[in-house]
Every structure is written in structure tokens, then in C-alpha cells.
């Protein structure tokens, strides 16, 4: 398995198999086969666009919710996390070390909507003992990409 | 009224300005230009190097250093050259830290060249050797490298250019703009030609870290027969992405370095202090950063070479530096016309090969110091241009 393929796709998932093959000095067929294999093995989980929603009027609200969980018989962290992950409002779920247990990224249209989701859905889950909601105010960087508009190529015209 | 033309040094006034200035003046008036023109890394200087520079300022290290450069830096450079290229230079007597490789080239030529001396300069190459030679009163003798010979300096044709007035040979490898490198056997063949002469070699190895395809740079002075006749020039700009720090160095025989130090002392005093401290960090702890940058360049290099070849613009594999040098003769245009038309029609800026010497006509230089996305867009537009011209 070639981690370089993954690195290139992580940087730009639109890079074609042919381009990757050229850059790594391999054949297109090899690269195609490896990508297919990594997709089948669940190493590559998807290809998405990184969108700066704040640029649109329809910007969504995102919050990071801390959940404290008391595992019960037959309903441990794993089960709670999988249950939480099922909600379409939930973008991401992580098991954390430290003072709380699950970190949940929730997206909604308004602050109100997110708050209500937490109150009605997450905090009522059995074994969830406490929640804390932190709204995201502004995004500066996501998935390695800075979400800041500026001309990043400030190289002078020293051409030779 | 003062007639300035009359009072200024005619040698300076006669220097040809860079041939591509007007070309980029056009580019600068246009929007949405995709340039592959810039000859400097797009990576920022690795963070720990920057941080070391900042810390040196915080600690108030803001004074001159020794003329030759910080002793610790010179020792690190000597250790680095030994480790990387097997070169043995004494940090105290054979090494001078300069303001970029450029100053080192200037000082070396000024120390060696007397009026009327000939300097053999391979072209296409970086544009400074000819004017600096002329400023020293020397006579540039051009060695035209060719695609057929992989843009190398070859022994027979070198021998043919040597006269009793030949003072020095410039070896600009890995080469901007051709991407050519000189391997050990190539250098040994030249050593054979230079044997029994007093011709000095000025080996500009600023791109030494950037060689590809498993090829390791071979330093001219690592050929035993060349060591005593070589001034090695290198620096931090390309290897460590430190162009703006302006830091380079020269190494060579002690008597020559003593005189170069005098030139440096009177013209410059010393290289920038913060840059020198930062450079110590670069040499000590940044091998991994360099490796990653080289790996990235290598991928872009393959992509751009393949791209030009697919467009029918024959592009030999550049083995070093960060430029592709495709041949555009198949278009029937000279390189300036090609570049100007491409710029006006598709807003892609390449550098005409003729900017690097007459022998560069028929080629264009495309830097791959750009993201793959940027490179692919430039190739896409170049394809459109060739289609418009009925060439594809």
C-alpha cells in the first residue's frame, strides 16, 4: 500500500489516477487498483469538497458538544457513540480523554435549532449524564486549509 | 547640465538589461495570469529556522559578525559539506559566508579575473556570470551546451575554447534553467582537460540539494584533481527555502579565500547576523524538511515533464534544480514569440529560453515552484493555446 497516494488524495481528492501515477513514477493501472483496494478496505472513506459555508447567506451554525457518559451494562461508550453518530445533525463524534467522554460536532440552521437538538436528543439519551455546548464562532482553518482570503504568492518578480 | 551617460562607467552602461523585463512588465498589467516564471521556492522557510532567527533578534544579537561569518556557522557549513559531498574545507581559512551565492560569485570573479582574462561560461545558464565577468574587465567566452549533450560541459568542446588567456571556467550545476547535472564521470573528464593548466573552476552549486531520481549531487571539488583549482559556491536559498535571508558561502583554496574575504569586507562587511544564526539551525536540524521539499518537487517535476511531452513540446527529464526546459521548436516560433503569444492569449507566463543565452532559444523555462493545481492549470491553458494556433 502506497501512503504517498493517500497523501496526494488527502491534499486534493480530485487528483486523477493518471496524475498520481505520473507524480509517483508508477502506472495508472497500478494506482487505480490500489485506490480501489483502499476504498474496499475502508481506508479511503470518501471524497468531499471543503466548503467555506460562511461565504453564503445560508451559513449553518456548528457547535461542539461535550458529553459525559456513564456506561451501563450493554450500553458502553461504543454503543452511545454509535447511537449519536446516527443523527443526521451530527457531523463528527470522537471519544476523548480528559474530563468528558464524547465530543460531538452538531450542525443546524440556527443557534436555537442546535440548542434544541442537544436538549431534546442528546441530553435525554440514557447514560448521558451531562452536556456542554460550545458554538463555533468563526473557522480559520479546516482540513489543513486556511480559510483566509489573501494572495498567498507574494514572491517578487525575481525571475532568473 | 550634467551628461550622465558620459560620466558613468561605459562597461556598466553597456551591460544588457535582463531580456525578459519588458515581457513581465506586460504580465504585470494583466489579471488572472498563471505564472511558472518565478525562480524561488514556494515553501516558506521551515518554521524552526525562522524561529531561530527570531530568537537571535530577541536576544539582541543585532551586531556585525566576523567578516568571514560566525565561527559556529562556518564550522557547521564545513561539517555539512563533508557529510553531504565529501568535501574537506577548513572553517577558519577556507570558508567565507556571503550575502547569497550571488555575492560569492561576484567576489570569486573579482579576485580571479584581470582585464583581458577569459572566463568560459556555459549557457543557457543563470544570467549573472557574463555581466560580472565584464564588470571585472574579463572577456566572457560562451560554451553553448546542447540538448543532445544533455546541456553538459563536454571535454572536447571545452578544450577547443581554452586559450592562454583562459582564467576560469564556470560550472553552474545543477543548472538553472536546463535542469542538467554533471555527474562524477562528466567532472572527471573535465579534470583531465584542465590538468596542467592554471584554469580555476568556479562551481556554482546552489541547487545541490535538488537532484532527483536517486541521483546524488557530485561536487566538483570532490574530484581530487579539481579540489585545488575550485571555488565552491553554495547557499541556503534553494535548499532551505531561504531566498529572502540572503545567505550563501564560498569555499576554496586559502589564498583565494583570503582575497575574497577582503573584497567581502570592503563591499559588505558581513552577512546579515540573524540570517547566520538561522542558518546554523538549518544545517543542524533540517535534513527532514529538505527531504520533504525535494520529494514534493520531484512529484511536480514528473507531472510537468509529462504534461509538456503530452503537448508535443519535447521535454527532457531535468535531473536537478526546479525547472523544466521544454523545446518549443516544433511550434515554428522562437522562444520570445512563443512566450509573448502564450501570455497574451492564455495568460500563462513562462520565461523564454533566450533570456539565458542565445543557445536557449527554442526552449522555454517553466518553474515548478508551484502547487500541482497551479501547474496543471498552466498546462491546461498551454494546451488551449496550442490548439488555437492549430498546433495540436
Amino acid at each position: 500500500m502506497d501512503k504517498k497516494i493517500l497523501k496526494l488524495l488527502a491534499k486534493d481528492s480530485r487528483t486523477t489516477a493518471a496524475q498520481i501515477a505520473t507524480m509517483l513514477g508508477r502506472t495508472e493501472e497500478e494506482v487505480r487498483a490500489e485506490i480501489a483496494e483502499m476504498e474496499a478496505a475502508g481506508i479511503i472513506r470518501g471524497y468531499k469538497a471543503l466548503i467555506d459555508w460562511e461565504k453564503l447567506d445560508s451559513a449553518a451554525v456548528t457547535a461542539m458538544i461535550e458529553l459525559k457518559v456513564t456506561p451501563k451494562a450493554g450500553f458502553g461508550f461504543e454503543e452511545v457513540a454509535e447511537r449519536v453518530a446516527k443523527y443526521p445533525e451530527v457531523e463528527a463524534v470522537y471519544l476523548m480523554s480528559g474530563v468528558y467522554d464524547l465530543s460531538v460536532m452538531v450542525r443546524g440552521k440556527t443557534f436555537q435549532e442546535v440548542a434544541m437538538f442537544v436538549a431534546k436528543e442528546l441530553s435525554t439519551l440514557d447514560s448521558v449524564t451531562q452536556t456542554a455546548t460550545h458554538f463555533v464562532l468563526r473557522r480559520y482553518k479546516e482540513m489543513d486549509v486556511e480559510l483566509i482570503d489573501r494572495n498567498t504568492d507574494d514572491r517578487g518578480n525575481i525571475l532568473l | 547640465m550634467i551628461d550622465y551617460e558620459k560620466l558613468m562607467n561605459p562597461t556598466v552602461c553597456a551591460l544588457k538589461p535582463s531580456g525578459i523585463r519588458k515581457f513581465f512588465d506586460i504580465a504585470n498589467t494583466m489579471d488572472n495570469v498563471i505564472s511558472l516564471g518565478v525562480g524561488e521556492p514556494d515553501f516558506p522557510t521551515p518554521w524552526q529556522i525562522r524561529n531561530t532567527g527570531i530568537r537571535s533578534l530577541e536576544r539582541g544579537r543585532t551586531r556585525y559578525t566576523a567578516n568571514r561569518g560566525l565561527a559556529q556557522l562556518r564550522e557547521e557549513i564545513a561539517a555539512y559539506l563533508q557529510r553531504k559531498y565529501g568535501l574537506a574545507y577548513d572553517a577558519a581559512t577556507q570558508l567565507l559566508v556571503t550575502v547569497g551565492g550571488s555575492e560569492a560569485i561576484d567576489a570569486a570573479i573579482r579576485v580571479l579575473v584581470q582585464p583581458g582574462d577569459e572566463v568560459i561560461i556555459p549557457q543557457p545558464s543563470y544570467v549573472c556570470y557574463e555581466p560580472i565577468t565584464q564588470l571585472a574587465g574579463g572577456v566572457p567566452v560562451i560554451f553553448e551546451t546542447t540538448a543532445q549533450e544533455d546541456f553538459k560541459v563536454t571535454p572536447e568542446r571545452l578544450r577547443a575554447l581554452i586559450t592562454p588567456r583562459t582564467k576560469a571556467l564556470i560550472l553552474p550545476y545543477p543548472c538553472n534553467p536546463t535542469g542538467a547535472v554533471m555527474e562524477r564521470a562528466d567532472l572527471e573528464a573535465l579534470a583531465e582537460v584542465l590538468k596542467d593548466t592554471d584554469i580555476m573552476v568556479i562551481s556554482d552549486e546552489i541547487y545541490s540539494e535538488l537532484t532527483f531520481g536517486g541521483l546524488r549531487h557530485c561536487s566538483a571539488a570532490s574530484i581530487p584533481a579539481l579540489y585545488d583549482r575550485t571555488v565552491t559556491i553554495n547557499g541556503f536559498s534553494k535548499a532551505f527555502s531561504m531566498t529572502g535571508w540572503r545567505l550563501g558561502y564560498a569555499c576554496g583554496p586559502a589564498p583565494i579565500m583570503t582575497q575574497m574575504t577582503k573584497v567581502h569586507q570592503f563591499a559588505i562587511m558581513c552577512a546579515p547576523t540573524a540570517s547566520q544564526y538561522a542558518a546554523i539551525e538549518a544545517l543542524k536540524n533540517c535534513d527532514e524538511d529538505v527531504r520533504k521539499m525535494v520529494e514534493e518537487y520531484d512529484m511536480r517535476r514528473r507531472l510537468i515533464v509529462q504534461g509538456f511531452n503530452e503537448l508535443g513540446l519535447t521535454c527532457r527529464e531535468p535531473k536537478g534544480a526546479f525547472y523544466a526546459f521544454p523545446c518549443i521548436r516544433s511550434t515554428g516560433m522562437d522562444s520570445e514569440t512563443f512566450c509573448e503569444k502564450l501570455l497574451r492569449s492564455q495568460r500563462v507566463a513562462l520565461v523564454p529560453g533566450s533570456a539565458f543565452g542565445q543557445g536557449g532559444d527554442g526552449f522555454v523555462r517553466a518553474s515548478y515552484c508551484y502547487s500541482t493545481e497551479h501547474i496543471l492549470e498552466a498546462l491546461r491553458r498551454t494546451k488551449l493555446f496550442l490548439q488555437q494556433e492549430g498546433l495540436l
Side-chain angles (χ1 to χ4, degrees):
Chain A
M1 190 189 44
D2 194 343
K3 275 200 188 143
K4 285 180 183 163
I5 296 178
L6 292 175
K7 279 187 187 162
L8 288 170
L9 287 175
K11 207 192 267 176
D12 181 357
S13 64
R14 292 184 309 169
T15 315
T16 65
Q19 287 161 354
I20 293 171
T22 303
M23 287 192 269
L24 301 181
R26 307 187 51 185
T27 70
E28 191 180 334
E29 290 67 37
E30 281 173 353
V31 172
R32 251 180 226 298
E34 275 201 37
I35 290 175
E37 221 172 281
M38 291 190 284
E39 286 169 349
I43 295 168
I44 296 173
R45 292 286 186 169
Y47 304 88
K48 298 184 121 190
L50 174 52
I51 295 165
D52 190 351
W53 291 106
E54 286 170 24
K55 293 256 168 172
L56 303 174
D57 293 339
S58 58
V61 173
T62 309
M64 194 271 281
I65 322 291
E66 297 173 1
L67 294 189
K68 276 195 183 169
V69 175
T70 309
K72 294 179 179 159
F75 211 63
F77 289 125
E78 206 72 357
E79 285 73 18
V80 178
E82 280 176 24
R83 174 78 188 80
V84 169
K86 291 274 185 285
Y87 288 104
E89 291 89 341
V90 170
E91 276 187 345
V93 184
Y94 308 105
L95 180 63
M96 310 298 286
S97 68
V99 292
Y100 63 97
D101 304 303
L102 293 179
S103 170
V104 182
M105 299 300 294
V106 174
R107 186 185 45 217
K109 287 199 191 73
T110 60
F111 285 94
Q112 182 69 12
E113 194 179 290
V114 172
M116 290 314 290
F117 173 78
V118 174
K120 284 188 173 162
E121 303 291 338
L122 296 185
S123 58
T124 58
L125 284 176
D126 225 16
S127 35
V128 170
T129 56
Q130 199 179 319
T131 70
T133 303
H134 307 277
F135 284 102
V136 173
L137 301 181
R138 184 147 161 56
R139 289 158 201 270
Y140 294 95
K141 189 174 182 181
E142 233 173 63
M143 297 174 76
D144 297 332
V145 178
E146 287 190 46
L147 308 179
I148 298 164
D149 290 317
R150 62 167 172 238
N151 187 2
T152 47
D153 196 346
D154 58 355
R155 287 175 287 179
N157 280 331
I158 303 284
L159 298 149
L160 301 168
Chain B
M1 208 171 85
I2 301 173
D3 183 351
Y4 296 107
E5 297 301 324
K6 235 180 209 164
L7 66 87
M8 288 186 292
N9 179 347
T11 310
V12 175
C13 295
L15 292 178
K16 284 175 285 178
S18 164
I20 58 167
R21 194 68 258 168
K22 62 157 193 184
F23 176 70
F24 278 91
D25 287 344
I26 303 170
N28 284 337
T29 64
M30 302 169 89
D31 288 333
N32 190 22
V33 171
I34 284 274
S35 171
L36 296 182
V38 174
E40 73 177 307
D42 55 327
F43 303 105
T45 307
W47 169 247
Q48 74 254 43
I49 299 177
R50 284 185 272 162
N51 199 29
T52 308
I54 293 166
R55 280 211 311 272
S56 81
L57 295 174
E58 283 173 349
R59 288 176 190 166
R61 290 171 168 166
T62 55
R63 304 203 169 83
Y64 297 129
T65 67
N67 294 124
R68 282 178 186 265
L70 289 167
Q72 194 194 349
L73 173 58
R74 277 180 283 133
E75 273 151 30
E76 287 297 338
I77 292 171
Y80 166 87
L81 291 174
Q82 177 67 253
R83 166 165 69 91
K84 286 267 177 175
Y85 310 118
L87 297 174
Y89 286 115
D90 174 38
T93 59
Q94 290 189 282
L95 218 152
L96 170 67
V97 178
T98 56
V99 178
S102 299
E103 189 218 333
I105 296 164
D106 179 68
I109 291 177
R110 281 209 264 175
V111 163
L112 292 171
V113 174
Q114 299 169 56
D117 281 352
E118 294 172 0
V119 177
I120 300 176
I121 301 170
Q123 283 184 351
S125 65
Y126 179 58
V127 293
C128 80
Y129 313 113
E130 210 176 329
I132 292 174
T133 299
Q134 288 165 334
L135 286 172
V139 180
V141 174
I142 306 304
F143 182 107
E144 297 284 2
T145 63
T146 65
Q148 292 71 38
E149 292 182 327
D150 284 328
F151 295 106
K152 293 175 179 184
V153 176
T154 49
E156 291 74 25
R157 295 206 291 123
L158 174 64
R159 199 189 304 274
L161 292 181
I162 292 174
T163 74
R165 292 306 309 259
T166 304
K167 176 56 66 73
L169 164 68
I170 308 281
L171 281 183
Y173 293 95
C175 183
N176 167 13
T178 62
V181 301
M182 292 283 283
E183 294 180 54
R184 178 161 292 273
D186 302 317
L187 291 165
E188 280 168 351
L190 299 192
E192 199 52 34
V193 175
L194 298 177
K195 191 178 69 176
D196 304 325
T197 73
D198 284 334
I199 298 170
M200 289 295 297
V201 172
I202 298 174
S203 188
D204 180 357
E205 303 178 14
I206 191 75
Y207 290 99
S208 64
E209 286 279 4
L210 307 180
T211 56
F212 306 107
L215 202 67
R216 287 196 55 194
H217 173 70
C218 180
S219 193
S222 71
I223 311 295
L226 291 179
Y227 181 79
D228 285 333
R229 65 171 75 247
T230 299
V231 175
T232 302
I233 287 164
N234 212 322
F236 296 86
S237 295
K238 316 294 182 182
F240 301 97
S241 248
M242 291 178 70
T243 46
W245 299 76
R246 306 311 305 123
L247 205 68
Y249 50 89
C251 328
I256 292 177
M257 298 317 299
T258 302
Q259 302 309 320
M260 281 177 65
T261 303
K262 272 192 340 208
V263 173
H264 171 76
Q265 175 183 351
F266 295 130
I268 302 287
M269 289 291 281
C270 67
T273 303
S275 302
Q276 293 192 54
Y277 280 107
I280 292 171
E281 176 67 15
L283 295 173
K284 278 170 81 169
N285 295 318
C286 293
D287 281 8
E288 182 59 15
D289 298 81
V290 173
R291 194 194 60 73
K292 278 191 191 147
M293 287 192 275
V294 173
E295 187 177 288
E296 179 71 29
Y297 285 133
D298 193 15
M299 289 195 283
R300 298 170 180 183
R301 178 185 75 109
R302 293 162 187 269
L303 194 67
I304 202 168
V305 168
Q306 167 98 351
F308 281 120
N309 280 319
E310 278 174 0
L311 297 179
L313 304 177
T314 311
C315 187
R316 306 173 80 82
E317 187 195 347
K319 303 258 176 66
F322 40 49
Y323 310 99
F325 202 55
C327 179
I328 51 94
R329 289 206 185 102
S330 61
T331 65
M333 294 178 232
D334 62 43
S335 53
E336 271 197 47
T337 310
F338 179 91
C339 288
E340 191 166 339
K341 279 189 163 181
L342 177 60
L343 178 62
R344 289 194 189 278
S345 115
Q346 289 296 333
R347 306 187 170 216
V348 176
L350 302 178
V351 182
S354 52
F356 305 93
Q358 281 176 359
D361 192 27
F363 296 86
V364 294
R365 190 192 76 173
S367 156
Y368 47 88
C369 295
Y370 294 93
S371 67
T372 51
E373 200 182 357
H374 187 101
I375 290 168
L376 289 168
E377 173 63 11
L379 288 167
R380 191 187 67 81
R381 292 191 192 185
T382 305
K383 182 177 183 181
L384 286 176
F385 167 69
L386 293 171
Q387 283 169 340
Q388 269 172 10
E389 296 285 317
L391 295 163
L392 204 66

